[in-house]
Amino acid sequence: MQNINNVTEFILLGLTQNDELQKICFVVFLFFYLVIVLGNLLIVATVIFSPRLNSPMYFFLSYLSFVDICYSSVTAPKMIVDFLAEKKTISFIGCIAQLFGVHFFGCTEIFILTVMAYDRYIAICKPLHYTTIMTKRVCGQMVAASWFGGFMHSLVQTVMTTRLPFCGPNEIDHYFCDVHPLLQLACTDTYIVGIIVVANSGMIALSCFLILVVSYIVILVFLRTRSSEGRRKALSTCASHITVVILFFGPCTFTYIRPSSNFSEDKTVALFYTVITPMLNPLIYTLRNEEMKNAMRKLWSKKIFFSSEKTKM
């Protein structure tokens, strides 16, 4: 395939072309992004500075929150700025960088969510062997493998896209650069590339989702033998994770499991896994978790105490 590229920048059409609606969206999504950053930073800080939150579950949760911040920061700031911009353009290099970031952090999040499900499976189904299986070294290796897997997946997607010829038009009917919208603009037959995208992105999302479903079915079957109090405690820790999995994997699988096509719904669906889920994660993981809420209260009270001591001095 000869790489003929006459395009130096792309025009992002964004979520809407209505001027009044864009101003409202600017305020709404700026608030959402601030909640994402502050909420997930609070979780990361709480896990780091709270000695009691030293279990693998909170170790993985801190990395999930960090990935959520990075993931949203790839798309949300550009989208927010474009709501007030007269010309919504992004350079070719910037577009490819955004594509790489979206798939890198998105795939890393998929793997971390899968690892978190494995952690819950070991904790509930094999509690006596939990500390020997889920050691700090093993947990670190799992997180490192998640980052590496996300990097390799994103590298494949990015290399395939950069090898496509773009000779115009350059309007992307989306609010960020992704594989499917770019395939629509390539001036060549992209059928084979589209199949590879489905095999790469779609099958990763679908296979990890199936692993998660199977793991929680096994957990639910195992919990039938436990006491009602034991079931309640186990389900309370799993419920938050199941909620996040449904919110993230549902829209993500819908987008990438099918061949490239021009669906206007893609932009709305993409909001769930790039903005809505990262914003809800801090609320989901804290409102149903007494241990996390208590740790946050203690951390906040210590901060107030030390600040008051400094003012006295």
Side-chain angles (χ1 to χ4, degrees):
M1 184 187 297
Q2 187 179 3
N3 192 346
I4 304 171
N5 192 353
N6 298 326
V7 176
T8 59
E9 65 178 16
F10 292 101
I11 299 172
L12 297 171
L13 298 183
L15 289 176
T16 177
Q17 302 296 309
N18 186 299
D19 291 337
E20 292 300 320
L21 194 56
Q22 287 188 59
K23 293 176 183 177
I24 297 173
C25 286
F26 172 80
V27 176
V28 171
F29 284 100
L30 178 61
F31 172 75
F32 285 173
Y33 182 63
L34 291 175
V35 171
I36 291 170
V37 174
L38 296 177
N40 284 289
L41 276 179
L42 179 60
I43 288 182
V44 173
T46 303
V47 173
I48 291 175
F49 295 108
S50 299
R52 291 187 177 182
L53 302 182
N54 59 355
S55 66
M57 180 177 71
Y58 295 111
F59 174 76
F60 294 132
L61 178 58
S62 64
Y63 274 97
L64 178 68
S65 296
F66 176 71
V67 172
D68 275 335
I69 295 172
C70 298
Y71 190 33
S72 295
S73 296
V74 173
T75 59
K78 173 63 177 171
M79 175 182 66
I80 292 168
V81 170
D82 281 348
F83 282 132
L84 299 183
E86 188 173 337
K87 193 176 182 183
K88 304 171 177 60
T89 60
I90 185 170
S91 66
F92 182 85
I93 295 175
C95 184
I96 297 301
Q98 192 177 57
L99 167 68
F100 179 86
V102 165
H103 284 268
F104 176 40
F105 295 116
C107 191
T108 301
E109 178 154 348
I110 286 175
F111 289 141
I112 289 179
L113 286 170
T114 307
V115 167
M116 291 175 74
Y118 175 74
D119 171 69
R120 289 299 85 205
Y121 164 75
I122 298 296
I124 295 171
C125 299
K126 298 182 179 181
L128 297 178
H129 303 284
Y130 182 69
T131 54
T132 57
I133 295 175
M134 300 300 293
T135 62
K136 287 185 177 181
R137 181 179 179 182
V138 171
C139 293
Q141 289 173 343
M142 286 181 172
V143 170
S146 298
W147 284 103
F148 179 75
F151 175 80
M152 293 305 298
H153 158 77
S154 183
L155 186 64
V156 171
Q157 301 290 77
T158 305
V159 169
M160 285 193 309
T161 306
T162 54
R163 289 177 60 84
L164 293 173
F166 296 96
C167 43
N170 66 338
E171 288 187 347
I172 298 177
D173 189 16
H174 216 303
Y175 63 90
F176 67 91
C177 291
D178 201 1
V179 176
H180 284 321
L182 288 173
L183 290 181
Q184 299 292 326
L185 299 182
C187 48
T188 187
D189 184 12
T190 59
Y191 178 77
I192 300 299
V193 179
I195 295 299
I196 296 173
V197 169
V198 171
N200 191 3
S201 299
M203 292 312 297
I204 286 176
L206 183 61
S207 58
C208 287
F209 180 70
L210 291 177
I211 291 171
L212 288 163
V213 171
V214 171
S215 66
Y216 277 109
I217 290 175
V218 173
I219 289 172
L220 291 174
V221 171
F222 180 82
L223 287 176
R224 292 171 62 185
T225 61
R226 300 280 288 271
S227 63
S228 58
E229 181 66 19
R231 283 198 299 268
R232 188 188 65 80
K233 289 182 179 180
L235 288 173
S236 66
T237 59
C238 294
S240 300
H241 190 251
I242 294 172
T243 305
V244 171
V245 165
I246 293 173
L247 287 173
F248 185 82
F249 275 88
C252 194
T253 304
F254 170 81
T255 301
Y256 295 108
I257 198 62
R258 55 182 172 74
S260 178
S261 56
N262 190 16
F263 282 162
S264 58
E265 295 87 357
D266 281 1
K267 292 186 286 186
T268 306
V269 172
L271 284 174
F272 278 91
Y273 57 83
T274 59
V275 177
I276 304 300
T277 302
M279 180 186 66
L280 293 178
N281 277 359
L283 296 175
I284 293 171
Y285 280 110
T286 55
L287 291 179
R288 296 182 60 88
N289 191 318
E290 288 297 327
E291 195 173 14
M292 177 65 77
K293 286 192 286 188
N294 291 334
M296 285 182 175
R297 291 191 196 102
K298 289 181 180 179
L299 185 67
W300 185 252
S301 62
K302 284 181 181 179
K303 183 179 178 182
I304 294 174
F305 174 76
F306 283 119
S307 61
S308 61
E309 287 294 317
K310 286 183 179 179
T311 53
K312 290 179 181 179
M313 294 174 63

